[in-house]
Amino acid sequence: IGDAIINDGPGLLLIVEKQPDANTLEVTRRVEAALKELEPGLTGVEMDPTIFRPANYIELALGNLARTLTIAGILVALSLLFFFFNWRMALVSLVTIGVSLVMAAYVLYLRGVPTLNIMVLAGLVLALVVIIDDAVIDIDNIARRLRQPRGAGDNKSSFAIVLDAVLDTRGTAFFA
């Protein structure tokens, strides 16, 4: 608590700091709710909880992140369509990417990770790059193998051809 000049007049500044492991947005919501409860008992006192509100930066960053993910998703979809020239193969890649991200978020939830911080997001981005690379390479290899003419006496089913194509690229990716 300290003296302050607020809106060209004397004021009192109260700063509430959170613990390092606390969620800034949750602490801000609770402090604002507590201030609302105090308002009836503090007649004649004007409170402005927006002067220094760290949650503003986080809310802005989350909005930017959502917009960036939307734009990135559209660009990835267009890139896959352009790369494959086949909407089905692009759709399989997009579903693979989406399912992988949902499962990663679920594993983080099961492990008790409370929030997405910079390190978690960086790890997800790196994993997403590997997933996209694997999806593109696998689907390209599968499509190439299915288009190859089958030799005389080669009675492999489509499933066996797909399995061989996936295992062909999986070994290299595993050892890398």
Side-chain angles (χ1 to χ4, degrees):
I1 297 181
D3 294 336
I5 297 177
I6 302 170
N7 295 331
D8 295 328
L12 185 65
L13 181 66
L14 172 66
I15 297 177
V16 178
E17 292 190 18
K18 68 173 188 69
Q19 293 295 321
D21 61 340
N23 185 326
T24 303
L25 295 176
E26 184 62 30
V27 170
T28 302
R29 285 186 203 110
R30 288 185 179 184
V31 168
E32 288 173 349
L35 289 175
K36 284 276 189 210
E37 290 178 17
L38 290 175
E39 271 183 11
L42 298 173
T43 56
V45 176
E46 181 183 338
M47 290 188 285
D48 186 4
T50 63
I51 291 175
F52 178 71
R53 188 174 183 268
N56 288 345
Y57 304 110
I58 295 172
E59 291 165 350
L60 180 66
L62 288 174
N64 288 341
L65 179 65
R67 189 173 337 117
T68 301
L69 287 175
T70 303
I71 292 169
I74 292 169
L75 289 175
V76 166
L78 291 174
S79 298
L80 289 173
L81 276 171
F82 178 74
F83 180 75
F84 288 129
F85 293 115
N86 185 332
W87 69 270
R88 279 188 255 175
M89 288 194 294
L91 182 65
V92 168
S93 293
L94 287 174
V95 169
T96 302
I97 293 165
V99 169
S100 299
L101 283 175
V102 168
M103 290 308 298
Y106 185 64
V107 168
L108 288 173
Y109 170 75
L110 290 177
R111 299 274 305 157
V113 176
T115 58
L116 293 178
N117 58 26
I118 297 296
M119 292 302 291
V120 173
L121 288 175
L124 285 174
V125 167
L126 290 174
L128 186 61
V129 168
V130 171
I131 291 167
I132 291 172
D133 182 52
D134 283 350
V136 168
I137 290 171
D138 282 347
I139 290 177
D140 186 47
N141 195 27
I142 290 168
R144 184 177 48 79
R145 292 262 184 113
L146 287 173
R147 283 192 300 255
Q148 286 178 349
R150 296 183 186 176
D154 188 8
N155 294 332
K156 277 188 172 179
S157 68
S158 294
F159 179 78
I161 293 172
V162 169
L163 184 62
D164 286 344
V166 170
L167 292 176
D168 184 35
T169 58
R170 212 39 53 215
T172 310
F174 176 74
F175 289 118

